[in-house]
Amino acid sequence: MASDAKTGDQVRTQARGLWDTPTVPALAAVPAALHAHATVLRTRRRQTLALALDGGETAFIVRAGVLTLQLTLPDSSRQIVALLFPGDVFRSNFVPPHAEATLASAGAGEVWRMRLAALDKLAASDPAVTRYLDQALASQLARQALHVATLGQFNCEQRVATLLIELALRTGVSSPGGVAFELPFNRKDIADYLGLNPDTLSRIMSRLKAAGVIGHSERNRAVVRDFRALAARSPAARSLLEISGGDRIEPALGRSV
Amino acid sequence: MASDAKTGDQVRTQARGLWDTPTVPALAAVPAALHAHATVLRTRRRQTLALALDGGETAFIVRAGVLTLQLTLPDSSRQIVALLFPGDVFRSNFVPPHAEATLASAGAGEVWRMRLAALDKLAASDPAVTRYLDQALASQLARQALHVATLGQFNCEQRVATLLIELALRTGVSSPGGVAFELPFNRKDIADYLGLNPDTLSRIMSRLKAAGVIGHSERNRAVVRDFRALAARSPAARSLLEISGGDRIEPALGRSV
DNA sequence: CGGTCCATTGACATCTTTCAAGGCTTGTGG
DNA sequence: CCACAAGCCTTGAAAGATGTCAATGGACCG
């Protein structure tokens, strides 16, 4: 079955796909026109971005790093509603009223900010911008749908596996021990994203470590030792591979999921 | 405090807001241009709508009734990802790959269908269409964010209360016993939307009935006897009121939430 | 009238959270 | 360089919430 050769290929393919090229197809196509009209923000870890720019609606385009969209409803704890990766577009009118919404940078990153009106105007005049916005939105909505399914149907372990896969695909780099990546969030953040509690999350991570799926690593970093085993634990693995990893990686893992 | 007068006002206002006028502001503004280019579909209860129109991407605009977007991932049960109400727009490229997605009509309704390419073309040439699509999308994303928070943070009862409020605001009609509305879904559907199991849902409903919050009613219908008590059980009540009910209703309930 | 489907409800199993204790990492100041 | 403090992470035990299974009952349909 030439399994040795295949394995070698997969590793190479993964390393390339995961690190050297833009992981999100849309990112490559961000129209230059946007840059000209946007303010470039360099964000630090945990920095929050004001949603309203002196009263007006605002649009954000993620260029590097990861943003979190947090929502706190009255008498309820915080939910991290979505993770925004490079290429993603966020508009301040995407958040519900009467909710405390926060856009925060998880790690260091770069964000382009502009007035919503300016973006609209740009979109109206430049078809490339329109196409880009459409595509970015479709990708985000698809991911949001997966996230909803994750929260609604998955158990603890499946949720954690799903997040690890998503982060590995987005920000992972192939290294001797497996795919390594930053965890730009602390336990509480991850728990709030996955709708579970930090203690439970910690237990799951310990279990995954014990099973050899992920490795021990420093604070704020993680290493996936056995990507297939991880993928086997998330019903969303195939979908995430296609969305985040592109076609390069998907065939390599198609069989194992 | 003139509370009698106020109560009277509230009831009248609610009845009007909930029934006689379009509940979604965006709906009123659906550009006529869309109608000319769309196929009008009359949907029956449980009818599914094919996502691809002979190979091409498709767009749907809900005019009447409620649609459900269902997602089934491998080795996982079905999740109803979103409810689509009149005015909402759905594009077939909003669903993730490698997932079995279904768009289904909950009750009888009317849907406009057109090719995505045709809609894009229309949006490019008609600013009113663009504005409408933007607004519809923003509203849907805001609701989706609430739904994520609902699934991630709310307990059973809060989730059920949230759905009841949403349906009451969208499709409810003020009647002697309270606000009555169709439940276009069976228990399993509701459970799949809220990420819980039908038995649990049944228990919650019984508890709400016992508490006098909702009334007994025929199959497929529900009556909210005490809207305030219901609103008090959902952290998302205020947000839903503003999104779905418009400003007419919100002040009336502001104090009780 | 009987059959079928769906809703309800109890008993029990399982999963998840809560609470509390302890350990590890990081940063600070001597 | 070490000691100490603060914050975060880990882990056990117990409680609570939710899911599962099975029996029952009620509504609709032929």
Side-chain angles (χ1 to χ4, degrees), chain A residues 96-118:
Chain A
H98 285 288
E100 189 196 321
T102 310
L103 197 61
S105 183
E110 180 182 316
V111 179
W112 290 357
R113 182 183 66 194
M114 56 196 304
R115 290 174 183 287
L116 190 45

Side-chain angles (χ1 to χ4, degrees), chain A residues 28-45:
Chain A
V30 177
L34 288 176
H35 191 193
H37 293 258
T39 306
V40 175
L41 305 175
R42 301 231 151 244
T43 58
R44 300 180 311 277
R45 184 178 173 92

Side-chain angles (χ1 to χ4, degrees), chain A residues 134-151:
Chain A
D134 270 13
Q135 196 183 341
L137 213 56
S139 155
Q140 284 173 251
L141 274 165
R143 269 160 37 213
Q144 192 82 337
L146 283 181
H147 190 205
V148 168
T150 301
L151 293 175

Side-chain angles (χ1 to χ4, degrees), chain A residues 73-74 76-79 91 93-94 96-98 120 134 137-138 141-142 148 151-154 195 235 238-239 242-243, chain B residues 73-74 76-79 91 93-94 97-98 120 134 137-138 141-142 148 151-154 195 235 238-239 242-243:
Chain A
L73 292 166
S76 170
S77 35
R78 178 185 68 156
Q79 170 72 37
R91 300 169 167 224
N93 62 353
F94 286 172
H98 285 288
D120 284 343
D134 270 13
L137 213 56
L141 274 165
V148 168
L151 293 175
Q153 303 297 336
F154 294 5
R238 296 277 318 254
S239 296
E242 184 143 331
I243 295 178
Chain B
L73 293 166
S76 170
S77 35
R78 178 185 67 156
Q79 170 73 38
R91 302 170 166 221
N93 62 354
F94 285 173
H98 285 287
D120 284 343
D134 270 12
L137 212 57
L141 273 164
V148 168
L151 292 175
Q153 303 296 337
F154 294 5
R238 296 276 321 251
S239 295
E242 182 144 332
I243 294 178

